[in-house]
Amino acid sequence: MFDSLQSRLGGVFDKLRGRGALTEGDVEEALKEVRTALIEADVELGVVEDFIKKVKPRAEGEAVIRSVTPAQQVVKIVHDTLIETLGSEGTGLQLGSPPAPILMVGLQGSGKTTTSAKLGLLLQTKEKKKVLMASLDVARPAAMEQLKILGEQAGVPTLPIIAGQTPLTIAKRALAAARVGGYDVLILDTAGRQHVDEQLMAEAAAVRDLTNPHETILVADSLTGQDAVNIAKSFHTRMPLSGIILTRADGDARGGAALSMRAVTGAPIKFLGMGEKLDALEPFYPERVAGRILD
Ligand code: GDP
């Protein structure tokens, strides 16, 4: 992810550095190119405009232009504003008293089930939590089976599957099992659909009302770019998200989704999916990402 954006911005700033002394016009020209690069990386248009609006007055001021290293100052301002856009709040999960329910939502194919198992494994191994997982995807028995298999691979227990139960009944059963079993965390993998639809939202909202999750995490595919942003908007208006996990960040996504998600929903990206393997889940650090983009 971010490779093409990184090389585009690198080019813009190399040119700026090559000039030595800068005029306001030079900075304005560079920011125009930054704007184009962000749009081409699929960053949501409103997010691009806000970004440039913040950077411009900071970068075009006399203090920057008259400084000994004007180009470096401009890069620093872009860097700091990137971190502001990505959100500098902590990336960790906010889990209250056990069993802490985590609701996983997202479209089918986004990587939701794999990510549920990855998160279960990470909490179990890195944070020493006792984790139970349950699939609520009654429309696709294969999805329930998949979580069970992934759970076995990860060594994270899953709620036994009972055919014919509704998502709410399974959620109740999962909560009871988590309480009785002394689990710290309960990961609920909700049904994924092809599109954001009313039934999907109503079902997930009913499960949320029943379980009162400590985290509601949207799993979104970074390769879908602008679409991932639109999906996040639709989910967030129906069901406030507490965090986002972007999958397929190991692929060649242009990064627009990563740069837009937090600004559009207010929910921070908490982890990146970095591959198909169950340990391929990394915490999202805005400083590192900004550093990478402007390397
Ligand atoms: P779901 O329908 O949303 O539950 O999606 P799945 O969890 O079944 O994932 C769909 C496919 O995407 C599977 O082949 C996963 O191995 C793959 N996948 C999930 N996350 C990632 C990721 O971060 N990187 C890559 N490369 N593949 C992923």
Side-chain angles (χ1 to χ4, degrees), residues 106-115 118 140 143 146 150 189 192 219 246-251 272-277 280:
L107 297 191
Q108 194 177 309
S110 58
K112 193 165 47 58
T113 303
T114 311
T115 304
K118 284 178 174 180
R140 290 194 313 139
Q146 189 197 351
L150 291 172
D189 184 14
V219 178
L246 271 185
T247 60
R248 303 202 178 88
D250 51 312
L272 294 180
M274 296 299 292
E276 300 205 20
K277 292 212 180 114

Side-chain angles (χ1 to χ4, degrees), residues 17 43-44 46 52-53 61 79 162 168 170 200 216 222 230 236 252 263 268 275 289 293:
R17 280 190 198 97
V43 180
E44 203 251 2
I52 297 294
K53 228 183 269 168
H79 174 269
I162 300 178
L168 278 182
I170 302 172
L200 169 75
T216 302
S222 59
N230 293 331
H236 195 59
D252 56 2
V289 171
I293 295 172

Side-chain angles (χ1 to χ4, degrees), residues 113-151:
T113 303
T114 311
T115 304
S116 298
K118 284 178 174 180
L119 194 59
L121 178 65
L122 183 135
L123 289 171
Q124 195 172 271
T125 52
K126 300 234 164 85
E127 303 200 14
K128 309 291 175 222
K129 302 278 190 204
K130 193 174 169 192
V131 183
L132 179 67
M133 306 192 291
S135 169
L136 308 180
D137 197 347
V138 295
R140 290 194 313 139
M144 303 181 98
E145 197 58 37
Q146 189 197 351
L147 185 69
K148 177 173 170 249
I149 293 167
L150 291 172

